[in-house]
Amino acid sequence: MALGCGGTLGKVFLILINIIFFLLGLGLLIVGALMKANVKIVTDEVKPALNTVTVFIVIGVFIFIVAGLGLFGACCQNRCMLVTYAILVLILFIAKIAAIALWFTMQGEVEDKVKNEMLTSLQTHFTDDSVDTGSEVSRSWNYMFMTLDCCAINKVTSGTNDFDQSPWCTATGKSCKDSSAEVPRTCCVGVVASTYTAATAPCTTGVSGYNTMGCYDALKAEIDSYSTPVIGVGITILVIELLAVIFAFVICKQTGEEVV
């Protein structure tokens, strides 16, 4: 049965949109599979760190299947495929709306939880103000201080700060425990991995010359800087999904009432 104006527009829309997502899903699937399996590209030593690639493969397969249903359903005007496609996309649409509502409802609680986890990590694993010694987590904290121009988790205003309960300040043999250091050298203003070792008082004694902003606020500001484009992309995806569901049902209706 010939489609009306709305059905034709919907068919073109679904074909174009789902070609893009079909190729995206296929790309994720192929790249993920290569990263997991090709030993010439990924060595055995690196493979354990790529376990999360499985997630991308699963996402790729899901996008590939859903987009395939929409693409071939629109091309062939197959009502069964279009209804299945519309239901899956509608589920995704509702899930996103629910996630957004949940985020706004629990945003404060989530932020407090993240901040507390960061503080616990610092006070448990920060062992040295060096990128060459100490635990891997401790070295990561030092790199964060220099990269984000921040210090500790909460704002540092004096010698009494988040580091007081960390192994760096409680264990014997550490510069905070055995000297007058109150702030890691990596917290000093303008230092990088090649220059932080030259940092001395008054920065390290917590008098002046150190980054006062806490790393939680610095990290939050960095994430917030991407909020506008992320929101824009999110809204665009929601609109596309809603239109996809509407057009799928429009095509189904115009395909023919006699088809069961």
Side-chain angles (χ1 to χ4, degrees), residues 105-243:
T105 302
M106 303 182 63
Q107 183 176 1
E109 183 179 339
V110 171
E111 289 181 351
D112 288 341
K113 178 69 174 178
V114 171
K115 189 173 185 178
N116 289 333
E117 289 295 329
M118 291 177 67
L119 182 60
T120 298
S121 175
L122 180 79
Q123 294 183 334
T124 302
H125 301 291
F126 189 75
T127 59
D128 207 348
D129 60 341
S130 171
V131 297
D132 300 313
T133 60
S135 67
E136 182 178 353
V137 176
S138 182
R139 296 195 299 272
S140 297
W141 277 114
N142 284 299
Y143 277 115
M144 178 180 285
F145 298 155
M146 293 184 290
T147 302
L148 297 180
D149 293 328
C150 62
C151 192
I153 307 303
N154 298 290
K155 183 177 181 179
V156 178
T157 57
S158 67
T160 302
N161 52 58
D162 295 339
F163 296 106
D164 293 345
Q165 303 301 317
S166 70
W168 180 56
C169 288
T170 59
T172 302
K174 304 299 182 181
S175 56
C176 178
K177 172 73 172 179
D178 297 341
S179 71
S180 57
E182 298 286 354
V183 174
R185 294 172 294 178
T186 48
C187 281
C188 295
V189 174
V191 298
V192 293
S194 60
T195 62
Y196 79 93
T197 54
T200 57
C203 169
T204 55
T205 55
V207 176
S208 64
Y210 59 88
N211 296 305
T212 59
M213 177 179 284
C215 285
Y216 174 79
D217 289 336
L219 189 60
K220 187 173 183 296
E222 188 72 17
I223 294 174
D224 287 345
S225 67
Y226 295 97
S227 61
T228 299
V230 168
I231 291 173
V233 171
I235 292 175
T236 301
I237 291 176
L238 287 174
V239 171
I240 289 174
E241 288 178 343
L242 184 58
L243 289 175

Side-chain angles (χ1 to χ4, degrees), residues 19-123:
I19 284 176
I20 295 173
F21 283 103
F22 187 83
L23 294 176
L24 174 63
L26 182 62
L28 287 174
L29 176 60
I30 293 175
V31 171
L34 286 174
M35 292 179 70
K36 289 284 288 185
N38 197 329
V39 294
K40 294 181 180 179
I41 298 176
V42 181
T43 64
D44 290 337
E45 290 77 10
V46 177
K47 278 187 176 181
L50 295 177
N51 290 331
T52 53
V53 172
T54 303
V55 176
F56 291 97
I57 295 177
V58 173
I59 293 174
V61 170
F62 181 76
I63 293 175
F64 180 79
I65 292 174
V66 174
L69 286 171
L71 176 61
F72 294 109
C75 286
C76 304
Q77 296 178 213
N78 184 299
R79 297 179 70 189
C80 181
M81 295 179 74
L82 285 172
V83 170
T84 304
Y85 169 77
I87 292 174
L88 290 174
V89 174
L90 186 59
I91 291 173
L92 291 175
F93 179 83
I94 294 173
K96 289 185 179 71
I97 295 296
I100 292 171
L102 187 63
W103 166 250
F104 281 109
T105 302
M106 303 182 63
Q107 183 176 1
E109 183 179 339
V110 171
E111 289 181 351
D112 288 341
K113 178 69 174 178
V114 171
K115 189 173 185 178
N116 289 333
E117 289 295 329
M118 291 177 67
L119 182 60
T120 298
S121 175
L122 180 79
Q123 294 183 334

